[in-house]
Amino acid sequence: MTAESTTSSVSSVGGLGAAYADTASEAYRAALRVIESVEPRIADATRKELADQRDSLKLIASENYASPAVLLTMGTWFSDKYAEGTIGHRFYAACQNVDTVEAVATEHARELFGAPYAYAQPHSGIDANLVAYWAILATKVEAPGLAELGAKHVNDLSEADWETLRNKLGNQRLLGMSLDTGGHLTHGFRPNISGKMFHQRQYGTNPETGFVDYDAVAALAREFKPLVLVAGYSAYPRRINFAKMREIADEVGATLMVDMAHFAGLVAGKVFTGDEDPVPHAHVTTTTTHKSLRGPRGGLILATEEYAPAVDKGCPMVLGGPLSHVMAAKAVALAEARQPEFRAYAQSIADNAQALADGFTKRDAGLVTGGTDNHLVLLDVTSFGLTGRQAESALLDSGIVTNRNAIPADPNGAWYTSGIRLGTPALTTRGFGADDFDRVAELVVEVLSNTQAEGTSKAKYKLADGTADRVHAAAGELLAANPLYPGLTL
Ligand code: PLP
């Protein structure tokens, strides 16, 4: 695919293409002049950040480039407004415009994902998960507990009864995917609050194939009987059958919560449909808005009618005042995701991940699960004699931005790791096509083949002379052919 045709089909919304470049340039130049008059170092860092993002091959699977329309929406006076509560029911006066913003954001979310209810207030993915967990606890434990005690509200309980109920709330079980097989730390990892507030256990993947083994998940669920079954991942390169996950949850009486933070763009763009679309199957679906969905940094929750009332109490349950300027930007991003171009974009993300995986496979670089069918690949770098940390650093020296990631049963642990995670959403936004991603695989392999671990160190490495410069130059050609925010000048 040529850079031109890709750019016009996947990147023409919200000023990502050249059509709005002059207007966006004017807006940013003016904004930077204002910022400069107060704190020039911040104006300078802002300019440099754009230059750095333009000049690096960004393969971080959780990052993207939001449109100028989304970015500009965040820089307004909505930031100044407190609006605790929900639409039409605020603890502050004069929230009529925030009501509009939140109503538009949630309307787009419901329409886009086909969900009965949406909540746009979480500030991030972690917040969204925390609100979701407490909404599940409120629905499944607190409400029946109150009914049993003949009370309507927690404030009506005696201290002793409240202690009994609190103990129940704090003694529930959660089953999620383990961190080393691709789960997220909010899915019951002990150092995170989710692993402290729940008695947690984790399911992994089949050691032979690397795929989720639904029979094994079902067996564990039958034995452990969790209140919450979590599906979703940060570093699993395959699709999940959410219909099967729901069957497992139903069999053991669990609530199915899906965290689609990574792949929400593929759900929005109808690449994941049927059993692979979590929304019709999960009781509660959480997401970030800034990864493959290409919106502002933030969180979002979708829920069935049963869980909606509790999620709607995210404030004051977990959250304080919503970030109204970010909710406004979520509304703009979700409007973009409802345009037909977004479907082409989402499909390109998946096609490009396939091209990247094929590029590695044909160069004998080992991939966890042998490939991908979503937006990311997990490269096992042990065959290069490297740790993930060494590989990540050598790639960065060569202008390729990735992140190290544990592989299943990782011999190097979660800090040094044995893997590199690479995702396609960001470079697809720039207009990269399948041939470009094959070249990316070639460059990554070139760097790793020319990197040697130093002695027994898991961090130190030596990159063969000339490699970084050679790869930098080749990456520069790809970047120049697929410019970020084409025509935008500061
Ligand atoms: N859930 C998943 C699956 C994630 O991958 C992430 C972030 O990487 C999060 C939640 C947390 O998102 P945030 O960084 O916005 O809190």
Side-chain angles (χ1 to χ4, degrees), residues 4 23 197-198 241 268 435 440 463 477:
E4 231 172 71
T23 320
M197 61 187 250
F198 285 109
N241 184 323
D435 291 349
V440 168
L463 194 52
E477 281 173 26

Side-chain angles (χ1 to χ4, degrees), residues 269-283:
K270 308 294 176 220
V271 176
F272 289 3
T273 56
D275 292 353
E276 293 162 356
D277 176 353
V279 181
H281 303 291
H283 297 95

Side-chain angles (χ1 to χ4, degrees), residues 159 176 232 328:
E159 197 175 325

Side-chain angles (χ1 to χ4, degrees), residues 138 141-169:
V141 180
E142 189 176 285
L146 282 175
E148 214 173 281
L149 293 162
K152 281 218 165 77
H153 195 275
V154 287
N155 288 345
D156 301 336
L157 296 179
S158 69
E159 197 175 325
D161 282 348
W162 176 230
E163 277 311 289
T164 309
L165 190 50
R166 264 183 6 92
N167 280 331
K168 260 196 200 162
L169 286 166

Side-chain angles (χ1 to χ4, degrees), residues 62 123-129 182-187 232-235 259-262 286-291 297-299 421:
S62 51
H123 309 332
S124 72
I126 280 207
D127 284 5
N129 286 349
H184 188 254
L185 59 115
T186 55
H187 300 176
Y233 51 79
S234 298
D259 178 351
M260 63 169 182
H262 257 263
T286 60
T287 187
T288 54
T289 45
H290 48 273
K291 303 189 206 292
R297 187 158 291 279
R421 186 185 67 164

Side-chain angles (χ1 to χ4, degrees), residues 190-263:
R190 284 185 188 174
N192 179 256
I193 188 167
S194 58
K196 300 183 202 297
M197 61 187 250
F198 285 109
H199 174 189
Q200 47 77 24
R201 209 167 281 176
Q202 319 236 284
Y203 58 86
T205 48
N206 181 311
E208 303 295 319
T209 63
F211 281 65
V212 169
D213 178 342
Y214 297 96
D215 291 337
V217 178
L220 192 51
R222 270 179 220 123
E223 184 217 318
F224 186 55
K225 298 208 177 357
L227 176 82
V228 190
L229 174 63
V230 183
Y233 51 79
S234 298
Y236 177 67
R238 295 290 174 177
R239 301 183 186 192
I240 289 186
N241 184 323
F242 296 109
K244 279 196 182 158
M245 283 295 192
R246 175 62 186 260
E247 265 173 43
I248 297 169
D250 284 347
E251 189 193 326
V252 301
T255 299
L256 177 63
M257 177 180 133
V258 175
D259 178 351
M260 63 169 182
H262 257 263
F263 53 89

